[in-house]
Amino acid sequence: MPNYTVTVATGSQWFAGTDDYIYVTLVGSERCSERTLLDKPLYNDFERGAVDSYDISVGEDLGEIELVKIEKKKYWVHDDWYCKYITVKTPYGDYIEFPCFRWLTDDKEVILRDGRARLPQHEKTGVEKQHRRKELEQRQKIYRWKEWHPGFPMSIDAQTHSGLPRDIQFDSEKGVDFVLNYSKAIENLYVNQFMHMFQSSWGDFADFERIFMRIKNTISEYVMEHWKEDFMFGYQFLNGCNPVVIRKCTEIPDKFPVTTKILEESLERGLTLEEELKEGNIFIADYELLDGVTPNATDPCTLQYLAAPICLLYKNSQNKIMPIAIQLGQSPGEDNPIFVPTDDEHDWLLAKIWVRSSDFHVHQTVTHLLRTHLISEVFGIAMFRQLPAVHPVFKLLLPHIRFTIAINTKAREQLICECGLFDKANGTGGGGHVELVQRSMKTFTYRSLCFPEAIKARGMDSREELPYYFYRDDGCSVWEAVKSFVTDVVNIYYEKDETVQEDEEIQAFVKDVCSFGMQDCDYCEFPKTLQTKEQLVEYLTIVIFTASAQHAAVNFGQFDWCSWIPNSPPTMRKPPPTKKGEVDLKYIVESLPDRGRSCWHLGAVWALSQFQENELFLGMYPDEHFIEKPVKDAIVKFGKNLAEVTKVIKNRNDGKRLPYYYLSPDRIPNSVAV
């Protein structure tokens, strides 16, 4: 009798053992094996990390093994089981790999294809085509779109983390409990005695320093020492948490009536403002998006304020970006003065603080939440709905949406929901953050996710003009490495442009992203079809880069740049000044967050800056979804390219008190998971 050996590898995830009945069926091209019991309760097989083998005898040869069916049946209580992979040794000595990497829950049957990736048009048998269709039909029932707020990208239809499909949940929900994590962070930062002291102002900047000195790191200490200085203010537009707002200014907007006379003491080269504009030395940061956004009113005892400033910056003769003019509102007038560096030191300092606070709001809600978290969730949901596990693009993208839907669901459950943690410390809490996302969506375009184009669109692409824009330089290096890897994988499976056009699943994927995920917005210009291999490469590069590098660049520096609260106030408790010469140090300190809000803010930026336990960084693919040697070779090449980028960044940073490492590949997680 022909004998098949089935080897089953169990994952090391929590709750991975099983006390249920486990059955397997081999489906061959000629016939199926009998449904065979592999494990029964109390046998202690399938323990965490175990690899168990079983012999299955059949009456006749099954032919080519096309599918493997695994079933889990309840014994006493359901015991979720995580299967990594199954291998089948045939009577002829061949080994066939069947990647799984998913949870078996309830009385569910999982049907596996062998590990070779296939496009839909290359399927040969009816069994394969039917399996592909049924898998997507099942997925589309459990991965459903839902609108969380009007005007937002669509999200997953789940109210809570525990309501998500088991395969996309965190292994331990405790790890993403924002309430627990923030409370622990506040305790670990030694500021828990202040966390309920709302309405209690700090005495002075030294008062902030007394709590800060317990929790500083190299960069945050440097920020504390230099935050008042104009060079540090300007540097953050290039290499801080939000390096995507600054743009080259080619024409002064009418709403910002600065002149050569106003700026003459700041323009070092003896040129007029118009001449400096032509030379490419003037830059601008405009926070118009915040104009009219409703400030946080959740605490009736504390009025909170927002501003929509415009900041003009100047590249001086040392190539440093320096602020030269700040207007705190969008409409010019007597009650909206233009602040300049030669003003009273308190006037100028408070104007800069207002810009930094406004930058914090745009960073958190638009740069971070919308443009990495929410858009990555859209790509992830569409992937699960339209690409079966056997599709090469599913295998390619899966590591880059790991835990993204879970972290976003948990955030909607605890963090950015009504009365959530976001309301405790942020000036845009209580609904302002929703307004910001809705406004930003009106100008959100697909092209803006293409890193080199986004840099060029802001006029920030010249390394000669801006030699210290490390976010641009490192980002372009990582972008090229990702693009090269994606190109290698695409070339393995797509022979020509027509192969892309004939792939109905990839076409359904991009259409789902545009028509449902982005709600068919005409202005967003997300493609509904892909016609060429080049377009497919760019699309997949955008998905991977956004989820990995872009998120790392705007997330993991939050503690570095925002823990010194005067440098990035999460809220302001006095309105923007309408006249010069009326501000003193006491007014500035009373404008800054109170003790309670400061502590919640510290807990937030600390918790959000931490890597996940057992983090997987860019290029690390321990789950072998691909079994083909050409893809494995491409992964090795990708790793080498990333290692070279890491080496260049490390060499540049050596000896610097203010290193830039957020886009070093060894610090870029594969996915948005925090």
Side-chain angles (χ1 to χ4, degrees):
M1 294 177 67
N3 192 65
Y4 293 81
T5 301
V6 174
T7 301
V8 182
T10 295
S12 58
Q13 284 85 342
W14 196 248
F15 300 134
T18 183
D19 283 326
D20 295 335
Y21 294 95
I22 303 294
Y23 298 89
V24 69
T25 305
L26 306 181
V27 180
S29 56
E30 300 296 327
R31 56 189 57 83
C32 298
S33 71
E34 295 290 329
R35 180 170 174 263
T36 304
L37 178 64
L38 296 187
D39 181 52
K40 62 174 73 173
L42 308 180
Y43 265 43
N44 293 324
D45 282 0
F46 302 140
E47 292 182 333
R48 280 192 287 168
V51 178
D52 301 295
S53 295
Y54 307 87
D55 289 330
I56 297 177
S57 297
V58 298
E60 299 178 75
D61 184 10
L62 304 178
E64 184 177 344
I65 303 298
E66 296 181 337
L67 305 172
V68 170
K69 295 182 181 181
I70 322 170
E71 298 173 70
K72 184 178 75 67
K73 295 297 181 182
K74 177 179 175 182
Y75 167 59
W76 184 251
V77 293
H78 282 300
D79 184 16
D80 294 351
W81 171 53
Y82 187 84
C83 177
K84 290 177 66 177
Y85 61 83
I86 290 177
T87 59
V88 177
K89 181 185 177 184
T90 71
Y92 312 104
D94 298 323
Y95 284 88
I96 309 169
E97 296 180 44
F98 293 83
C100 184
F101 303 108
R102 68 183 79 170
W103 289 90
L104 275 73
T105 61
D106 304 325
D107 287 335
K108 294 286 178 63
E109 176 187 73
V110 169
I111 303 176
L112 304 177
R113 295 281 300 274
D114 72 72
R116 293 170 296 171
R118 294 182 188 81
L119 300 179
Q121 62 265 43
H122 296 159
E123 296 288 28
K124 298 176 182 177
T125 70
V127 170
E128 293 169 341
K129 293 175 183 177
Q130 183 185 44
H131 171 261
R132 206 170 183 122
R133 186 179 67 252
K134 282 189 173 180
E135 182 183 1
L136 291 180
E137 287 173 356
Q138 278 186 324
R139 292 243 212 94
Q140 288 164 13
K141 289 176 182 175
I142 60 174
Y143 292 89
R144 302 176 303 276
W145 295 109
K146 182 180 180 181
E147 184 181 65
W148 189 57
H149 279 293
F152 268 52
M154 296 286 268
S155 53
I156 194 76
D157 184 6
Q159 296 293 328
T160 63
H161 176 269
S162 59
L164 292 170
R166 185 66 183 88
D167 284 326
I168 60 170
Q169 292 181 27
F170 280 98
D171 298 333
S172 169
E173 195 172 342
K174 276 188 179 179
V176 285
D177 188 314
F178 286 107
V179 175
L180 184 65
N181 287 353
Y182 280 27
S183 299
K184 279 185 178 176
I186 289 168
E187 184 177 345
N188 291 339
L189 298 171
Y190 304 103
V191 294
N192 48 315
Q193 69 266 37
F194 302 119
M195 63 188 290
H196 301 299
M197 295 177 66
F198 295 102
Q199 294 90 49
S200 172
S201 293
W202 300 95
D204 51 25
F205 292 134
D207 217 2
F208 282 103
E209 192 172 333
R210 276 189 282 276
I211 64 160
F212 178 80
M213 293 306 287
R214 298 179 179 223
I215 56 172
K216 65 186 180 183
N217 62 28
T218 303
I219 293 179
S220 66
E221 184 177 18
Y222 193 90
V223 171
M224 181 197 71
E225 292 170 352
H226 298 283
W227 73 281
K228 291 182 182 179
E229 299 171 42
D230 287 354
F231 92 88
M232 174 58 80
F233 179 87
Y235 178 86
Q236 292 177 74
F237 284 101
L238 299 180
N239 301 311
C241 272
N242 197 26
V244 301
V245 172
I246 188 172
R247 60 177 58 245
K248 183 180 285 187
C249 184
T250 55
E251 183 179 1
I252 301 295
D254 292 339
K255 63 183 180 179
F256 193 24
V258 291
T259 62
T260 300
K261 185 175 181 181
I262 293 173
L263 303 176
E264 59 186 351
E265 293 193 43
S266 295
L267 304 178
E268 296 180 352
R269 297 177 177 88
L271 303 175
T272 66
L273 178 57
E274 289 69 25
E275 290 168 337
E276 293 281 16
L277 285 165
K278 288 179 183 176
E279 290 291 315
N281 295 324
I282 305 295
F283 299 83
I284 194 167
D286 189 349
Y287 297 90
E288 183 179 13
L289 199 64
L290 281 159
D291 192 28
V293 169
T294 307
N296 192 336
T298 58
D299 180 357
C301 298
T302 302
L303 292 176
Q304 298 179 62
Y305 299 90
L306 299 172
I310 311 170
C311 180
L312 207 66
L313 300 123
Y314 176 63
K315 186 183 73 171
N316 68 14
S317 52
Q318 287 82 43
N319 284 321
K320 291 180 179 178
I321 298 295
M322 307 288 278
I324 56 173
I326 294 170
Q327 181 177 285
L328 296 181
Q330 293 288 309
S331 302
E334 287 187 11
D335 61 348
N336 190 16
I338 296 173
F339 295 94
V340 294
T342 52
D343 287 339
D344 175 84
E345 64 172 314
H346 294 119
D347 283 344
W348 181 236
L349 180 61
L350 183 57
K352 291 190 292 181
I353 288 172
W354 267 107
V355 173
R356 294 293 308 136
S357 184
S358 300
D359 189 78
F360 175 83
H361 296 311
V362 170
H363 163 258
Q364 285 287 10
T365 306
V366 179
T367 308
H368 182 207
L369 174 63
L370 171 61
R371 297 182 63 86
T372 63
H373 278 259
L374 299 185
I375 189 60
S376 292
E377 181 174 3
V378 166
F379 290 132
I381 296 169
M383 182 200 75
F384 280 115
R385 287 173 52 81
Q386 305 299 342
L387 300 178
V390 73
H391 198 291
V393 171
F394 179 91
K395 293 171 180 280
L396 177 67
L397 295 186
L398 187 61
H400 300 287
I401 58 93
R402 176 178 179 254
F403 298 148
T404 299
I405 301 172
I407 195 71
N408 288 359
T409 302
K410 199 69 179 178
R412 287 187 288 268
E413 191 181 343
Q414 291 185 327
L415 185 60
I416 57 175
C417 56
E418 189 175 350
C419 302
L421 289 172
F422 195 83
D423 291 354
K424 284 190 178 293
N426 288 277
T428 56
H433 60 305
V434 173
E435 292 178 47
L436 267 177
V437 170
Q438 290 167 332
R439 290 180 180 203
S440 188
M441 276 290 287
K442 294 177 180 176
T443 56
F444 188 177
T445 65
Y446 171 73
R447 302 302 328 160
S448 71
L449 295 173
C450 181
F451 187 83
E453 283 192 34
I455 295 288
K456 190 172 184 179
R458 291 188 287 114
M460 305 290 288
D461 50 313
S462 172
R463 296 193 181 206
E464 289 183 2
E465 292 181 8
L466 288 169
Y468 305 119
Y469 195 12
F470 305 128
Y471 164 75
R472 172 203 60 205
D473 300 343
D474 298 352
C476 284
S477 297
V478 176
W479 173 274
E480 288 304 319
V482 172
K483 185 178 179 182
S484 174
F485 171 54
V486 171
T487 300
D488 289 344
V489 175
V490 165
N491 284 338
I492 292 167
Y493 296 101
Y494 294 87
E495 297 175 1
K496 50 192 176 181
D497 292 343
E498 287 76 15
T499 315
V500 176
Q501 297 163 20
E502 293 163 3
D503 184 348
E504 58 189 26
E505 289 169 352
I506 208 70
Q507 302 298 339
F509 166 60
V510 298
K511 185 177 181 182
D512 213 14
V513 168
C514 179
S515 297
F516 289 92
M518 297 301 291
Q519 302 205 53
D520 217 1
C521 300
D522 292 334
Y523 49 79
C524 73
E525 299 175 350
F526 273 66
K528 290 186 180 178
T529 63
L530 298 176
Q531 298 299 313
T532 66
K533 289 169 61 176
E534 184 180 6
Q535 289 175 349
L536 177 59
V537 166
E538 181 185 73
Y539 196 98
L540 300 179
T541 302
I542 283 173
V543 175
I544 295 173
F545 185 88
T546 300
S548 57
Q550 184 61 21
H551 178 256
V554 303
N555 180 71
F556 292 104
Q558 291 189 72
F559 187 81
D560 292 345
W561 295 99
C562 304
S563 58
W564 178 245
I565 290 164
N567 186 60
S568 284
T571 190
M572 297 290 279
R573 295 182 297 140
K574 285 187 177 293
T578 56
K579 289 185 174 59
K580 295 187 181 184
E582 297 184 350
V583 169
D584 58 13
L585 182 59
K586 182 173 182 289
Y587 185 94
I588 293 176
V589 172
E590 290 175 352
S591 296
L592 293 170
D594 56 37
R595 294 170 190 262
R597 288 176 176 81
S598 297
C599 294
W600 281 99
H601 168 77
L602 274 177
V605 297
W606 186 86
L608 292 172
S609 299
Q610 306 306 305
F611 294 123
Q612 284 285 343
E613 191 177 353
N614 301 319
E615 190 71 80
L616 296 175
F617 295 96
L618 193 59
M620 293 171 59
Y621 302 113
D623 291 352
E624 295 190 12
H625 293 275
F626 287 105
I627 66 167
E628 296 95 322
K629 187 176 185 302
V631 187
K632 291 184 176 184
D633 290 344
I635 291 172
V636 171
K637 175 186 167 187
F638 184 35
K640 289 179 179 177
N641 289 342
L642 292 173
E644 190 58 38
V645 175
T646 298
K647 182 180 177 182
V648 169
I649 294 171
K650 184 178 184 301
N651 289 339
R652 183 194 67 214
N653 285 332
D654 274 353
K656 284 189 168 60
R657 274 203 71 191
L658 198 57
Y660 185 82
Y661 46 66
Y662 307 115
L663 282 168
S664 181
D666 61 340
R667 290 172 175 254
I668 299 175
N670 267 333
S671 63
V672 177
V674 66

mmCIF file of all heavy atoms in Angstrom, residues 184-205:
data_model
loop_
_atom_site.group_PDB
_atom_site.id
_atom_site.type_symbol
_atom_site.label_atom_id
_atom_site.label_comp_id
_atom_site.label_asym_id
_atom_site.label_seq_id
_atom_site.Cartn_x
_atom_site.Cartn_y
_atom_site.Cartn_z
ATOM 1 N N LYS A 184 1.175 52.215 32.387
ATOM 2 C CA LYS A 184 2.498 51.660 32.708
ATOM 3 C C LYS A 184 3.603 52.646 32.335
ATOM 4 O O LYS A 184 4.578 52.819 33.072
ATOM 5 C CB LYS A 184 2.711 50.344 31.951
ATOM 6 C CG LYS A 184 2.059 49.133 32.599
ATOM 7 C CD LYS A 184 2.438 47.879 31.819
ATOM 8 C CE LYS A 184 1.840 46.631 32.463
ATOM 9 N NZ LYS A 184 2.141 45.428 31.653
ATOM 10 N N ALA A 185 3.434 53.278 31.181
ATOM 11 C CA ALA A 185 4.444 54.235 30.735
ATOM 12 C C ALA A 185 4.560 55.394 31.714
ATOM 13 O O ALA A 185 5.664 55.800 32.096
ATOM 14 C CB ALA A 185 4.085 54.752 29.339
ATOM 15 N N ILE A 186 3.424 55.914 32.155
ATOM 16 C CA ILE A 186 3.421 57.026 33.101
ATOM 17 C C ILE A 186 4.096 56.623 34.409
ATOM 18 O O ILE A 186 4.862 57.379 34.995
ATOM 19 C CB ILE A 186 1.970 57.511 33.325
ATOM 20 C CG1 ILE A 186 1.462 58.238 32.069
ATOM 21 C CG2 ILE A 186 1.871 58.424 34.537
ATOM 22 C CD1 ILE A 186 -0.023 58.497 32.056
ATOM 23 N N GLU A 187 3.828 55.379 34.834
ATOM 24 C CA GLU A 187 4.455 54.881 36.061
ATOM 25 C C GLU A 187 5.957 54.705 35.872
ATOM 26 O O GLU A 187 6.763 55.105 36.716
ATOM 27 C CB GLU A 187 3.809 53.552 36.453
ATOM 28 C CG GLU A 187 4.315 53.005 37.775
ATOM 29 C CD GLU A 187 3.595 51.720 38.183
ATOM 30 O OE1 GLU A 187 2.531 51.424 37.596
ATOM 31 O OE2 GLU A 187 4.107 51.024 39.068
ATOM 32 N N ASN A 188 6.353 54.127 34.727
ATOM 33 C CA ASN A 188 7.779 53.899 34.464
ATOM 34 C C ASN A 188 8.554 55.205 34.298
ATOM 35 O O ASN A 188 9.763 55.255 34.533
ATOM 36 C CB ASN A 188 7.956 53.042 33.208
ATOM 37 C CG ASN A 188 7.476 51.614 33.406
ATOM 38 O OD1 ASN A 188 7.368 51.156 34.541
ATOM 39 N ND2 ASN A 188 7.180 50.927 32.320
ATOM 40 N N LEU A 189 7.856 56.239 33.867
ATOM 41 C CA LEU A 189 8.492 57.536 33.664
ATOM 42 C C LEU A 189 8.518 58.374 34.947
ATOM 43 O O LEU A 189 8.930 59.531 34.926
ATOM 44 C CB LEU A 189 7.765 58.307 32.557
ATOM 45 C CG LEU A 189 7.780 57.648 31.170
ATOM 46 C CD1 LEU A 189 6.855 58.370 30.216
ATOM 47 C CD2 LEU A 189 9.184 57.601 30.611
ATOM 48 N N TYR A 190 8.011 57.781 36.035
ATOM 49 C CA TYR A 190 8.019 58.436 37.346
ATOM 50 C C TYR A 190 7.188 59.718 37.373
ATOM 51 O O TYR A 190 7.526 60.667 38.085
ATOM 52 C CB TYR A 190 9.461 58.753 37.788
ATOM 53 C CG TYR A 190 10.365 57.564 37.811
ATOM 54 C CD1 TYR A 190 11.291 57.355 36.791
ATOM 55 C CD2 TYR A 190 10.288 56.619 38.839
ATOM 56 C CE1 TYR A 190 12.124 56.248 36.790
ATOM 57 C CE2 TYR A 190 11.123 55.506 38.855
ATOM 58 C CZ TYR A 190 12.032 55.327 37.824
ATOM 59 O OH TYR A 190 12.840 54.231 37.826
ATOM 60 N N VAL A 191 6.124 59.763 36.591
ATOM 61 C CA VAL A 191 5.278 60.962 36.600
ATOM 62 C C VAL A 191 3.849 60.631 36.994
ATOM 63 O O VAL A 191 2.944 61.439 36.811
ATOM 64 C CB VAL A 191 5.297 61.672 35.216
ATOM 65 C CG1 VAL A 191 6.680 62.220 34.927
ATOM 66 C CG2 VAL A 191 4.842 60.727 34.102
ATOM 67 N N ASN A 192 3.623 59.425 37.536
ATOM 68 C CA ASN A 192 2.257 59.024 37.858
ATOM 69 C C ASN A 192 1.632 59.890 38.951
ATOM 70 O O ASN A 192 0.416 59.981 39.050
ATOM 71 C CB ASN A 192 2.180 57.541 38.243
ATOM 72 C CG ASN A 192 3.221 57.134 39.262
ATOM 73 O OD1 ASN A 192 4.382 57.514 39.122
ATOM 74 N ND2 ASN A 192 2.829 56.372 40.260
ATOM 75 N N GLN A 193 2.467 60.564 39.766
ATOM 76 C CA GLN A 193 1.893 61.411 40.807
ATOM 77 C C GLN A 193 1.236 62.661 40.223
ATOM 78 O O GLN A 193 0.480 63.349 40.910
ATOM 79 C CB GLN A 193 2.950 61.813 41.842
ATOM 80 C CG GLN A 193 4.030 62.769 41.338
ATOM 81 C CD GLN A 193 5.262 62.025 40.849
ATOM 82 O OE1 GLN A 193 5.136 60.953 40.246
ATOM 83 N NE2 GLN A 193 6.429 62.576 41.109
ATOM 84 N N PHE A 194 1.557 62.955 38.936
ATOM 85 C CA PHE A 194 0.996 64.152 38.307
ATOM 86 C C PHE A 194 -0.172 63.845 37.365
ATOM 87 O O PHE A 194 -0.815 64.759 36.860
ATOM 88 C CB PHE A 194 2.071 64.879 37.483
ATOM 89 C CG PHE A 194 3.277 65.282 38.275
ATOM 90 C CD1 PHE A 194 4.528 64.782 37.955
ATOM 91 C CD2 PHE A 194 3.168 66.170 39.337
ATOM 92 C CE1 PHE A 194 5.652 65.158 38.681
ATOM 93 C CE2 PHE A 194 4.291 66.554 40.062
ATOM 94 C CZ PHE A 194 5.538 66.044 39.737
ATOM 95 N N MET A 195 -0.447 62.566 37.109
ATOM 96 C CA MET A 195 -1.329 62.216 35.989
ATOM 97 C C MET A 195 -2.766 62.706 36.167
ATOM 98 O O MET A 195 -3.507 62.841 35.187
ATOM 99 C CB MET A 195 -1.303 60.700 35.732
ATOM 100 C CG MET A 195 -1.817 59.860 36.873
ATOM 101 S SD MET A 195 -1.551 58.080 36.581
ATOM 102 C CE MET A 195 -2.708 57.779 35.255
ATOM 103 N N HIS A 196 -3.192 62.989 37.404
ATOM 104 C CA HIS A 196 -4.545 63.489 37.621
ATOM 105 C C HIS A 196 -4.559 64.976 37.960
ATOM 106 O O HIS A 196 -5.598 65.509 38.340
ATOM 107 C CB HIS A 196 -5.215 62.689 38.750
ATOM 108 C CG HIS A 196 -5.302 61.225 38.461
ATOM 109 N ND1 HIS A 196 -6.006 60.719 37.385
ATOM 110 C CD2 HIS A 196 -4.741 60.152 39.080
ATOM 111 C CE1 HIS A 196 -5.888 59.399 37.369
ATOM 112 N NE2 HIS A 196 -5.126 59.033 38.387
ATOM 113 N N MET A 197 -3.405 65.636 37.815
ATOM 114 C CA MET A 197 -3.318 67.047 38.202
ATOM 115 C C MET A 197 -3.642 67.951 37.023
ATOM 116 O O MET A 197 -2.804 68.721 36.532
ATOM 117 C CB MET A 197 -1.925 67.347 38.775
ATOM 118 C CG MET A 197 -1.645 66.591 40.074
ATOM 119 S SD MET A 197 0.029 66.853 40.721
ATOM 120 C CE MET A 197 -0.029 68.595 41.127
ATOM 121 N N PHE A 198 -4.868 67.840 36.529
ATOM 122 C CA PHE A 198 -5.323 68.733 35.470
ATOM 123 C C PHE A 198 -5.597 70.114 36.076
ATOM 124 O O PHE A 198 -5.944 70.238 37.255
ATOM 125 C CB PHE A 198 -6.570 68.167 34.800
ATOM 126 C CG PHE A 198 -6.316 66.873 34.080
ATOM 127 C CD1 PHE A 198 -6.684 65.658 34.640
ATOM 128 C CD2 PHE A 198 -5.677 66.861 32.855
ATOM 129 C CE1 PHE A 198 -6.434 64.458 33.990
ATOM 130 C CE2 PHE A 198 -5.421 65.671 32.187
ATOM 131 C CZ PHE A 198 -5.803 64.464 32.758
ATOM 132 N N GLN A 199 -5.445 71.138 35.260
ATOM 133 C CA GLN A 199 -5.591 72.545 35.663
ATOM 134 C C GLN A 199 -4.448 73.039 36.548
ATOM 135 O O GLN A 199 -4.465 74.166 37.015
ATOM 136 C CB GLN A 199 -6.935 72.827 36.386
ATOM 137 C CG GLN A 199 -8.163 72.670 35.520
ATOM 138 C CD GLN A 199 -8.710 71.263 35.561
ATOM 139 O OE1 GLN A 199 -8.893 70.703 36.632
ATOM 140 N NE2 GLN A 199 -8.988 70.706 34.394
ATOM 141 N N SER A 200 -3.451 72.199 36.819
ATOM 142 C CA SER A 200 -2.325 72.608 37.665
ATOM 143 C C SER A 200 -1.121 72.929 36.781
ATOM 144 O O SER A 200 -0.522 72.040 36.178
ATOM 145 C CB SER A 200 -1.972 71.482 38.644
ATOM 146 O OG SER A 200 -0.786 71.778 39.343
ATOM 147 N N SER A 201 -0.785 74.207 36.688
ATOM 148 C CA SER A 201 0.305 74.627 35.813
ATOM 149 C C SER A 201 1.663 74.304 36.431
ATOM 150 O O SER A 201 1.808 74.227 37.654
ATOM 151 C CB SER A 201 0.224 76.133 35.546
ATOM 152 O OG SER A 201 -0.905 76.457 34.782
ATOM 153 N N TRP A 202 2.661 74.132 35.557
ATOM 154 C CA TRP A 202 4.035 74.035 36.016
ATOM 155 C C TRP A 202 4.501 75.430 36.430
ATOM 156 O O TRP A 202 3.961 76.435 35.989
ATOM 157 C CB TRP A 202 4.915 73.487 34.893
ATOM 158 C CG TRP A 202 4.491 72.128 34.423
ATOM 159 C CD1 TRP A 202 3.687 71.855 33.366
ATOM 160 C CD2 TRP A 202 4.835 70.865 35.001
ATOM 161 N NE1 TRP A 202 3.506 70.499 33.232
ATOM 162 C CE2 TRP A 202 4.196 69.861 34.225
ATOM 163 C CE3 TRP A 202 5.615 70.482 36.088
ATOM 164 C CZ2 TRP A 202 4.319 68.516 34.515
ATOM 165 C CZ3 TRP A 202 5.741 69.131 36.375
ATOM 166 C CH2 TRP A 202 5.093 68.167 35.596
ATOM 167 N N GLY A 203 5.555 75.474 37.241
ATOM 168 C CA GLY A 203 6.034 76.764 37.706
ATOM 169 C C GLY A 203 6.862 77.501 36.667
ATOM 170 O O GLY A 203 6.688 78.690 36.437
ATOM 171 N N ASP A 204 7.762 76.771 36.013
ATOM 172 C CA ASP A 204 8.643 77.355 35.007
ATOM 173 C C ASP A 204 9.240 76.208 34.186
ATOM 174 O O ASP A 204 8.895 75.039 34.378
ATOM 175 C CB ASP A 204 9.739 78.206 35.648
ATOM 176 C CG ASP A 204 10.481 77.448 36.757
ATOM 177 O OD1 ASP A 204 10.502 76.189 36.712
ATOM 178 O OD2 ASP A 204 11.035 78.097 37.657
ATOM 179 N N PHE A 205 10.157 76.528 33.258
ATOM 180 C CA PHE A 205 10.762 75.486 32.429
ATOM 181 C C PHE A 205 11.582 74.516 33.273
ATOM 182 O O PHE A 205 11.675 73.328 32.968
ATOM 183 C CB PHE A 205 11.640 76.100 31.345
ATOM 184 C CG PHE A 205 10.856 76.848 30.299
ATOM 185 C CD1 PHE A 205 11.249 78.108 29.875
ATOM 186 C CD2 PHE A 205 9.714 76.297 29.747
ATOM 187 C CE1 PHE A 205 10.535 78.800 28.916
ATOM 188 C CE2 PHE A 205 8.981 76.980 28.788
ATOM 189 C CZ PHE A 205 9.393 78.236 28.368
#
